[in-house]
Amino acid sequence: MIITPNKDFPVPTPPAISPLAAQMGDSPAPLYARVKQMINQQIANGTWPPHHRVPSESELVTQLGFSRMTINRALREMTAEGLLVRMQGVGTFVAEPKTQSALFEVHNIADEIASRGHRHSCKVIILCEEAAGSERALALDMREGQRVFHSLIVHFENDIPVQIEDRFVNAAVAPDYLQQDFTQQTPYAYLSNVAPLTEGEHVVEAILADANECELLQIEKGEPCLMIRRRTWSGRTPVTAARLIHPGSRHRLEGRFSK
């Protein structure tokens, strides 16, 4: 028997297949891995270039038909691998290739960003005078209670936060530090003129960002970060003690040495 449609009982049109779902194929890989493969393919073929907004979890659930847990795992893993950037309250984006800094050298972050053909900007959160506590006094080889200048600055690369610079400065070495506009020149550039660097010390740690750091860097709570504790000297005089915090998913350190 052949059933023909009529105007009272129309045959439903099959649902359209999402372009993303069409790329999933019949891979035997776990579902979350198939989602990662699909996203990687979109990135590799240039369909989703750096800074492209990735569909939200809800959108991907609708387009691919997988559970939210599956989609969330894929996005979390790709963020940890540095392929995606998740910004709180904004969305998920395709990452630029990881930025890098020289491990054994001290550079101006604005110059590093410009060398990659990108735009540097920053936001000054704190710029004030404080009395040195025991930790700062020890780091700067001064007496507890002496004057230090404190600056907290967030540096951006193409509007994406890539570094928190939490710096304490020996006020006797750079007395005009608080009068500077650090949106126009970095503390590094200014201090290089008034107290040229002759020696530096780096200590690198892996940390979990606290709530305030996550907010400043626009990352998810508890994301791993790279922290550099840096001290610098001009001649025999300590100049600065700083903490430089980078999101681990957006940054790497690189060093080369010979003997």
Side-chain angles (χ1 to χ4, degrees):
M1 181 175 67
I2 300 175
I3 300 176
T4 58
N6 58 47
K7 64 180 180 179
D8 296 319
F9 299 97
V11 176
T13 303
I17 298 176
S18 159
L20 295 182
Q23 296 181 34
M24 300 296 289
D26 298 318
S27 169
L31 296 183
Y32 77 89
R34 292 170 64 186
V35 175
K36 291 174 65 176
Q37 290 170 359
M38 179 277 296
I39 296 176
N40 270 316
Q41 184 177 351
Q42 296 292 98
I43 295 172
N45 66 22
T47 302
W48 291 358
H51 308 301
H52 177 86
R53 182 186 175 279
V54 175
S56 69
E57 288 186 12
S58 298
E59 291 168 334
L60 288 173
V61 167
T62 300
Q63 293 179 36
L64 302 179
F66 294 156
S67 72
R68 195 179 192 98
M69 185 179 299
T70 295
I71 300 298
N72 179 269
R73 177 173 177 178
L75 295 180
R76 280 191 292 106
E77 289 195 3
M78 294 191 74
T79 299
E81 293 162 6
L83 297 170
L84 300 178
V85 174
R86 306 186 78 177
M87 300 176 69
Q88 282 186 319
V90 180
T92 302
F93 301 85
V94 177
E96 284 272 2
K98 276 194 177 185
T99 61
Q100 63 185 45
S101 297
L103 178 57
F104 303 117
E105 301 174 11
V106 178
H107 291 299
N108 185 354
I109 187 171
D111 293 340
E112 287 187 351
I113 291 172
S115 72
R116 294 190 282 269
H118 296 166
R119 180 173 57 83
H120 169 265
S121 59
C122 72
K123 182 178 181 181
V124 179
I125 309 299
I126 295 172
L127 185 60
C128 66
E129 177 182 319
E130 298 180 7
S134 57
E135 182 181 351
R136 307 302 170 209
L138 179 63
L140 292 171
D141 192 23
M142 60 173 54
R143 294 190 308 277
E144 201 170 333
Q146 282 189 275
R147 288 194 317 147
V148 293
F149 297 141
H150 181 199
S151 59
L152 180 65
I153 299 172
V154 182
H155 294 279
F156 296 79
E157 181 167 350
N158 288 349
D159 299 322
I160 295 175
V162 293
Q163 183 193 88
I164 295 174
E165 175 191 326
D166 189 10
R167 184 186 296 270
F168 290 85
V169 178
N170 185 338
V173 174
D176 296 326
Y177 188 78
L178 299 184
Q179 280 68 58
Q180 306 311 306
D181 181 356
F182 291 123
T183 65
Q184 299 303 310
Q185 68 169 339
T186 64
Y188 172 90
Y190 170 70
L191 292 169
S192 293
N193 287 326
V194 300
L197 172 70
T198 60
E199 186 179 349
E201 172 189 89
H202 281 170
V203 177
V204 182
E205 299 178 42
I207 65 169
L208 293 178
D210 64 26
N212 183 57
E213 291 160 351
C214 287
E215 182 177 353
L216 292 176
L217 291 171
Q218 298 175 26
I219 57 177
E220 295 190 343
K221 183 179 179 181
E223 178 172 328
C225 290
L226 292 172
M227 180 179 71
I228 303 173
R229 292 187 185 274
R230 175 183 293 167
R231 291 197 296 164
T232 60
W233 287 260
S234 184
R236 300 180 65 179
T237 304
V239 178
T240 70
R243 293 168 67 248
L244 309 175
I245 302 173
H246 303 264
S249 59
R250 304 176 197 166
H251 197 79
R252 70 181 184 189
L253 297 172
E254 184 174 278
R256 181 176 180 178
F257 63 91
S258 59
K259 62 177 184 176

